[in-house]
């Protein structure tokens, strides 16, 4: 057995005790123990000399198994296995932050063991349970190798409690002044002790000084290691060194008896709760406050221990009476418990019923109202005693028929309008469902009435506001599209003018027959149809989508580009669609509003490019990329314009927020409204090396078109 530390250390002796208890069952084997003493010295020169000593010591020795206790011994045994312990199995224990990658392919055939895992989170949860008023947890540790192995774990687990309690990790401690540090802790502090053997100056701290510190601490001290129970700590969710040694020794003899290491994987035994009853009392706690099961030392003497002779005589002479008494006591306790539970449940039901923002009543099959909450009394204008026990037709005759027509056990609410006497008409969402009796037979109906009058008004106003924003944004783009239409009309107008000139010229040369005339008419009509189609495209674009439908995202983008393409060419801007998908990309939503979102972004990109050209020469490129995965469609629009400042990446989607001199801030706000609120997607902006990138994510349409 190779120990990382020294004999006399409680942790080391605990592991040895577990190993030795297993060894007693195998008297034919002899245990050789070596101590590396790394708590007191850990220089590389020391380890080099230790290696040289072990080379000489073990040169002519062979062992059935090596038990390596704690990280120093574990890493030492792995590193020098070929040299010191060739072909010998290694069983480790007490190893923290175990990493399977440390066991190389060569070592896998020789190495298994027991991991030491100190559950920081469980201890922090235990502190909050026993001391809910805790403001700070002060974690004491040192910078020894074993302590540093769990430092990252402590920091990570502490992050889960940062909103509940302040956690301070301290591994730079001068033990001479530790009492001064403790005195400066705020009221309602708790100490969590991890491991401490050397102070910040490298001085070894003997255990009796730690024991004295635990006992005089005015704050409760929790620990991670069972060796500290009985020394002044209150307790904790702890690792047991005896268990580590015991399990490691058992595994070593399993290997010796012929089991393959591959069938004995590395395991991590669960920690257990340990407490000192004397320290619990010191801080006003009892054994009923701690988790169950727990191991408690210095516990209260049980009734049996105090009156053993009496209890034994009673069991001998009066077994029947004792049995009857026990049954009677249990029955009384159960009855009292049920009465308390019934009272508690009754109070809870009353609070729940009268704090729900819905009117509730339940009636029997014959129409008799059996109960209701206070909100129903307010709605019908009657006291509760005037409702319960009466027929529903008497209680609310004006609305009874409307409610009775609502289908039963419908998962969706039914909206009805109810006119109460001397009140305005209100809208209610009604749900009705059966309830059953003790025989699981339908006994009556529960009705829930939720007043949604204000919600309906708000929803209507919200829809009107959204439609206004969408139309306002669309109108702001009309000027841009009219300019684009003007560019598209220039070519056919020039063509028509040229045809007219040609017609005049040919008539001067000769008399035109019907075929010649028809050719001129056909050419003119071709241009007129092109102009008419341009107007139809424009009208279709600005027309709002009346309902959601499936549409092809790429077709929507291409249709939008037909409207603005001439305007972009006029400004010497190149726009390209890069489609990375072979399949048809179908989304579900409002196709015209979606096109308007893309148009807003493309126009913003155009304006950004033109603004940058005022200062420097730029190529003027807009790239639209389409790609998808199993559930979503991704559309990005990039430009080489001025770009977006980091601080405005999020605010550019807010209403009235614009980076343009005369912008109204509706375009991108409208885009977010349509993409996120109406289509359930996502829109966001990103910075790039030159220019801006806007990304749109929408869900794929799963149905058939």
């Amino acid at each position: 057995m190779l120990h990382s530390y020294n004999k006399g250390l409680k942790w080391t002796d605990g592991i040895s005790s577990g190993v030795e208890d297993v060894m007693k069952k195998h008297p034919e084997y002899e245990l050789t123990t070596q101590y590396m003493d790394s708590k007191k010295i850990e220089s590389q020169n020391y380890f080099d000399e230790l290696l040289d000593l072990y080379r000489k010591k073990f040169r002519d020795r062979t062992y059935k198994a090596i038990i390596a206790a704690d990280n120093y011994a574990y890493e030492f045994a792995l590193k020098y296995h070929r040299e010191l312990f060739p072909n010998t199995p290694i069983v480790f224990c007490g190893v923290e932050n175990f990493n399977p990658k440390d066991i190389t392919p060569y070592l896998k055939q020789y190495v298994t063991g027991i991991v030491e895992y100190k559950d920081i989170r469980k201890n922090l949860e235990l502190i909050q349970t026993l001391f809910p008023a805790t403001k700070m947890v002060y974690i004491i540790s040192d910078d020894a190798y074993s302590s540093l192995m769990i430092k990252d774990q402590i920091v990570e687990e502490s992050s889960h409690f940062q909103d509940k309690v302040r956690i301070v990790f301290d591994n730079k401690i001068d033990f001479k002044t530790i009492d001064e540090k403790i005195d400066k802790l705020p009221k309602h502090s708790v100490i969590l002790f991890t491991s401490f053997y050397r102070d910040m100056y490298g001085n070894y701290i003997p255990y009796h000084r730690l024991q004295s510190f635990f006992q005089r601490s005015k704050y409760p001290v929790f620990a991670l290691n069972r060796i500290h129970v009985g020394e002044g700590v209150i307790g904790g969710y702890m690792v047991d060194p005896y268990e580590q040694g015991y399990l490691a020794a058992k595994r070593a003899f399993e290997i010796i008896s012929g089991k393959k290491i591959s069938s004995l994987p590395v395991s991590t035994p669960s920690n257990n709760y340990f407490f000192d009853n004397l320290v619990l009392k010191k801080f006003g706690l009892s054994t009923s406050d701690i988790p169950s099961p727990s191991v408690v030392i210095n516990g209260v003497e049980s009734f049996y221990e105090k009156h053993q002779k009496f209890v034994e005589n009673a069991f001998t002479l009066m077994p029947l009476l004792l049995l009857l008494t026990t049954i009677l006591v249990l029955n009384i306790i159960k009855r009292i418990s049920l009465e308390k539970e019934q009272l508690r449940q009754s109070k809870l039901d009353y609070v729940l019923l009268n704090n729900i923002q819905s009117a509730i009543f339940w009636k029997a099959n014959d129409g008799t109202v059996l109960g209701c909450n206070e909100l129903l009394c307010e709605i019908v204008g009657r006291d509760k005693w005037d409702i319960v026990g009466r027929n529903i037709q008497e209680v609310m005759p004006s609305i009874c028929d409307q409610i009775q027509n609502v289908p039963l056990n419908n998962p969706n609410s039914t909206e009805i309008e109810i006119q109460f006497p001397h009140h305005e008409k209100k809208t209610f969402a009604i749900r009705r469902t059966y309830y059953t009796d003790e025989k699981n037979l339908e006994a009556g109906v529960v009705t829930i009435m939720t007043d949604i009058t204000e919600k309906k008004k708000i929803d209507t106003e919200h829809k009107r506001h959204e439609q206004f924003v969408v139309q306002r944004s669309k109108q702001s783009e009309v000027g841009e599209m009219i300019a684009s239409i003007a560019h598209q009309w220039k070519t056919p107008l020039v063509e028509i003018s040229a045809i007219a000139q040609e017609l005049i010229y040919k008539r001067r040369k000769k008399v035109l027959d019907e075929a010649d005339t028809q050719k001129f008419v056909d050419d003119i009509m071709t241009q007129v149809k092109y102009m008419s189609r341009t107007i139809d495209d424009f009208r279709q674009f600005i027309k709002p989508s009346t309902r959601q439908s499936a549409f092809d995202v790429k077709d929507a983008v291409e249709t939008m580009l037909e409207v603005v393409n001439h305007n972009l060419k006029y400004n010497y801007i190149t726009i390209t669609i890069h489609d990375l998908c072979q399949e048809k990309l179908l989304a579900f939503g409002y196709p015209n509003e979606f096109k308007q979102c893309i148009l807003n972004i493309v126009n913003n990109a155009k304006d950004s490019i033109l603004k940058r050209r005022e200062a420097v020469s730029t190529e003027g490129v807009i790239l639209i990329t389409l790609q998808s995965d199993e559930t979503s469609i991704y559309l990005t629009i990039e430009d080489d314009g001025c770009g977006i400042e980091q601080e405005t990446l999020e605010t550019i989607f807010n209403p009235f927020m614009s980076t343009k001199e005369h912008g109204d801030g509706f375009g991108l706000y409208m885009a977010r409204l349509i993409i996120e609120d109406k289509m359930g997607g996502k829109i966001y902006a990103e910075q790039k090396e030159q220019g801006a990138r806007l990304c749109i994510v929408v869900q794929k349409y799963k149905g058939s078109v």
Side-chain angles (χ1 to χ4, degrees):
M1 181 169 183
L2 182 62
H3 269 297
S4 294
Y5 312 133
N6 54 287
K7 184 175 177 60
L9 205 65
K10 295 189 86 173
W11 170 263
T12 300
D13 293 348
I15 291 178
S16 291
S17 179
V19 173
E20 288 162 4
D21 279 358
V22 176
M23 290 293 298
K24 291 174 184 177
K25 302 175 184 177
H26 302 275
E28 69 274 24
Y29 287 90
E30 180 178 305
L31 178 68
T32 300
T33 304
Q34 299 291 331
Y35 298 92
M36 296 178 71
D37 206 21
S38 62
K39 282 294 182 189
K40 298 179 180 178
I41 180 169
E42 58 178 359
S43 68
Q44 186 58 48
N45 184 54
Y46 168 71
F47 286 121
D48 291 341
E49 292 182 3
L50 199 61
L51 173 61
D52 187 58
L53 172 64
Y54 288 169
R55 281 172 178 153
K56 296 173 181 176
K57 225 174 187 184
F58 303 139
R59 182 170 52 200
D60 299 319
R61 300 187 195 179
T62 56
Y63 296 92
K64 288 288 186 180
I66 306 295
I67 297 178
D70 296 287
N71 289 77
Y72 278 107
Y74 164 71
E75 293 176 7
F76 187 92
L78 260 59
K79 187 175 181 180
Y80 300 109
H81 178 262
R82 291 178 189 266
E83 181 177 357
L84 299 178
F85 316 112
N87 301 319
T88 305
I90 294 177
V91 180
F92 64 82
C93 62
V95 171
E96 296 181 284
N97 280 21
F98 170 72
N99 187 349
K101 294 181 180 178
D102 294 338
I103 302 177
T104 64
Y106 157 77
L107 291 171
K108 281 185 179 179
Q109 59 186 318
Y110 298 109
V111 179
T112 185
I114 312 299
V115 174
E116 175 196 346
Y117 177 71
K118 294 173 179 172
D119 198 326
I120 305 299
R121 185 182 297 191
K122 280 258 187 163
N123 278 282
L124 293 173
E125 290 172 347
L126 176 65
I127 289 170
Q128 283 203 309
T129 301
L130 297 183
F131 297 95
T134 301
K135 303 294 185 196
M136 174 190 284
V137 177
Y138 180 64
I139 300 178
I140 294 178
S141 184
D142 60 14
D143 59 358
Y145 181 71
S146 58
S147 301
L148 294 176
M149 293 298 287
I150 63 167
K151 179 180 178 181
D152 291 341
Q153 180 194 348
I154 293 173
V155 173
E156 180 183 352
E157 296 294 347
S158 298
S159 65
H160 296 283
F161 298 84
Q162 59 186 3
D163 296 330
K164 302 174 184 176
V165 63
R166 183 184 172 200
I167 298 176
V168 176
F169 177 84
D170 189 359
N171 64 344
K172 300 296 180 183
I173 295 175
D174 180 359
F175 205 77
K176 294 178 182 178
T177 61
I178 192 169
D179 288 339
E180 296 175 14
K181 275 193 173 184
I182 300 302
D183 288 337
K184 292 178 182 178
L185 296 180
K187 191 178 179 182
H188 300 300
S189 291
V190 174
I191 298 170
L192 178 58
F193 182 87
T194 61
S195 177
F196 191 89
Y197 293 94
R198 291 181 305 187
D199 65 12
M200 61 188 295
Y201 304 108
N203 299 317
Y204 180 79
I205 306 300
Y207 191 78
H208 72 89
R209 293 184 64 188
L210 291 175
Q211 183 184 29
S212 176
F213 164 72
F214 296 151
Q215 293 172 352
R216 68 175 181 267
S217 173
K218 65 179 181 180
Y219 296 114
V221 181
F222 288 75
L224 306 178
N225 196 322
R226 186 185 179 181
I227 65 173
H228 304 304
V229 179
E231 307 294 347
V233 303
I234 196 168
Y237 192 65
M238 299 176 168
V239 63
D240 188 351
Y242 176 91
E243 182 184 36
Q244 292 278 315
Y246 187 88
L247 293 176
K250 279 189 67 178
R251 185 157 293 187
F253 279 105
E254 285 180 308
I255 296 170
I256 292 171
S257 65
K259 280 194 177 182
K260 292 185 178 181
I261 288 181
S262 59
S263 68
L264 300 169
V266 174
S267 59
T268 306
S270 299
N271 295 355
N272 294 292
Y273 289 106
F274 296 88
F275 295 92
D276 187 333
N277 189 47
L278 296 178
V279 186
L280 285 171
K281 288 181 178 179
K282 175 182 174 182
F283 291 100
L285 297 173
S286 68
T287 53
S288 63
D289 297 320
I290 63 177
S292 179
S294 295
V295 178
V296 182
I297 68 168
N298 299 320
V300 179
E301 189 179 19
S302 68
F303 178 85
Y304 178 77
E305 290 171 333
K306 287 182 178 180
H307 309 283
Q308 182 177 356
K309 189 173 181 180
F310 171 80
V311 172
E312 289 175 352
N313 290 335
F315 270 101
T316 302
L317 300 173
M318 299 179 294
L320 182 59
L321 179 61
L322 183 60
L323 180 61
L324 292 174
T325 303
T326 303
I327 294 173
L328 180 61
V329 169
L330 290 174
N331 186 53
I332 293 172
I333 292 173
K334 186 176 181 180
R335 217 171 98 188
I336 293 172
S337 176
L338 287 173
E339 288 175 356
K340 288 182 178 179
E341 179 62 25
Q342 189 174 6
L343 180 61
R344 187 191 68 81
Q345 188 63 45
S346 176
K347 290 180 178 180
L348 177 61
D349 291 345
Y350 178 82
V351 172
L352 289 174
L353 278 173
N354 293 298
N355 279 278
I356 295 173
Q357 299 301 309
S358 299
I360 302 175
F361 68 91
W362 52 101
K363 67 180 183 66
N365 287 330
D366 62 1
T368 303
V369 179
L370 301 178
C372 67
N373 66 354
E374 293 176 355
L375 187 56
L376 181 78
C377 300
E378 293 180 19
I379 290 175
V380 300
R382 290 173 178 262
D383 293 326
K384 194 169 185 178
W385 59 267
D386 195 28
I387 297 175
V388 177
R390 302 182 65 177
N391 192 280
I392 188 172
Q393 288 284 1
E394 299 177 43
V395 175
M396 45 184 107
S398 60
I399 61 174
C400 181
D401 292 338
Q402 288 178 273
I403 294 175
Q404 294 295 95
N405 290 331
V406 174
L408 283 158
N409 292 337
N410 191 337
N412 299 317
S413 300
T414 301
E415 293 184 10
I416 64 172
E417 289 188 343
I418 300 176
Q419 178 68 58
F420 294 100
H422 313 296
H423 291 86
E424 63 179 6
K425 187 180 290 185
K426 291 188 175 182
T427 305
F428 287 86
I430 308 293
R431 288 189 66 186
R432 302 172 71 230
T433 186
Y434 286 112
Y435 69 89
T436 57
D437 58 16
E438 65 277 2
K439 297 179 181 178
N440 207 30
L441 299 174
E442 293 176 0
V445 176
V446 177
T447 303
I448 303 173
M449 302 170 56
T450 306
D451 187 349
I452 59 171
T453 307
E454 292 301 319
K455 180 178 179 298
K456 294 283 286 185
K457 290 179 181 179
I458 292 170
D459 288 346
T460 302
E461 188 62 29
H462 182 63
K463 288 178 181 177
R464 288 175 56 195
H465 171 70
E466 285 186 359
Q467 191 61 37
F468 166 76
V469 171
V470 171
Q471 287 301 110
R472 170 74 180 272
S473 177
K474 185 166 288 189
Q475 289 167 6
S476 68
E477 302 297 333
V478 168
E480 293 281 352
M481 288 186 287
I482 288 175
S484 181
I485 291 169
H487 283 293
Q488 287 183 262
W489 275 18
K490 281 182 181 179
T491 300
L493 286 173
V494 171
E495 288 292 329
I496 291 172
S497 176
I499 293 168
Q501 291 293 333
E502 185 180 358
L503 176 61
I504 294 170
Y505 175 78
K506 286 191 174 182
R507 286 188 60 185
R508 288 175 181 171
K509 294 290 186 179
K510 66 173 183 176
V511 177
L512 299 178
D513 56 21
E514 186 176 347
D516 292 333
T517 304
Q518 187 62 43
K519 181 179 182 304
F520 282 107
V521 171
D522 290 344
D523 289 344
I524 291 171
M525 288 307 297
T526 298
Q527 302 303 322
V528 169
K529 287 178 181 177
Y530 172 79
M531 296 170 70
S532 177
R533 188 169 66 252
T534 302
I535 288 296
D536 289 342
D537 289 345
F538 170 69
R539 289 176 60 195
Q540 181 64 28
F541 183 83
I542 64 172
K543 181 181 178 182
S545 300
T546 57
R547 61 185 179 86
Q548 287 185 299
S549 61
F551 64 93
D552 189 319
V553 172
K554 186 176 180 183
D555 284 350
V557 173
E558 290 176 341
T559 302
M560 180 277 303
L561 291 181
E562 287 178 4
V563 178
V564 297
N565 198 35
H566 282 272
N567 198 355
L568 294 173
K569 287 182 179 179
Y570 175 77
N571 287 289
Y572 301 103
I573 295 174
T574 302
I575 188 162
T576 305
I577 299 177
H578 191 193
D579 187 1
L580 300 179
C581 306
Q582 301 299 324
E583 59 180 330
K584 199 172 187 179
L585 300 178
L586 291 180
F588 188 76
Y590 299 91
N592 283 352
E593 278 74 4
F594 181 80
K595 294 173 193 175
Q596 186 184 350
C597 295
I598 306 302
L599 176 63
N600 279 331
I601 297 170
V602 169
N603 277 335
N604 284 346
K606 179 201 74 175
D607 293 341
S608 178
I609 291 170
L610 295 179
K611 183 177 179 181
R612 186 174 177 226
R613 280 179 179 168
E614 294 175 3
V616 296
S617 175
T618 183
E619 187 177 351
V621 174
I622 299 174
L623 174 62
I624 300 177
T625 304
L626 285 167
Q627 51 189 324
S628 70
D629 56 24
E630 292 182 359
T631 60
S632 302
I633 300 170
Y634 304 90
L635 185 148
T636 60
I637 302 174
E638 304 177 56
D639 63 67
D640 58 351
C642 297
I644 304 172
E645 297 293 336
Q646 179 67 38
E647 57 271 15
T648 60
L649 278 177
E650 284 297 325
T651 59
I652 59 171
F653 294 100
N654 294 342
F656 310 109
M657 169 60 193
S658 177
T659 57
K660 301 178 187 178
E661 185 177 352
H662 301 293
D664 56 16
F666 275 102
L668 290 180
Y669 171 59
M670 179 277 301
R672 172 171 277 182
L673 212 71
I674 291 170
I675 298 300
E676 296 188 356
D677 291 1
K678 289 184 172 291
M679 295 180 62
K682 180 72 176 173
I683 182 170
Y684 56 93
E686 294 180 343
Q687 282 187 316
K688 55 192 290 270
E689 187 174 347
Q690 181 58 58
R693 179 188 296 113
L694 269 84
C695 307
I696 294 175
V697 184
V698 292
Q699 297 299 309
K700 273 187 175 179
Y701 177 62
K702 298 297 184 183
S704 58
V705 182

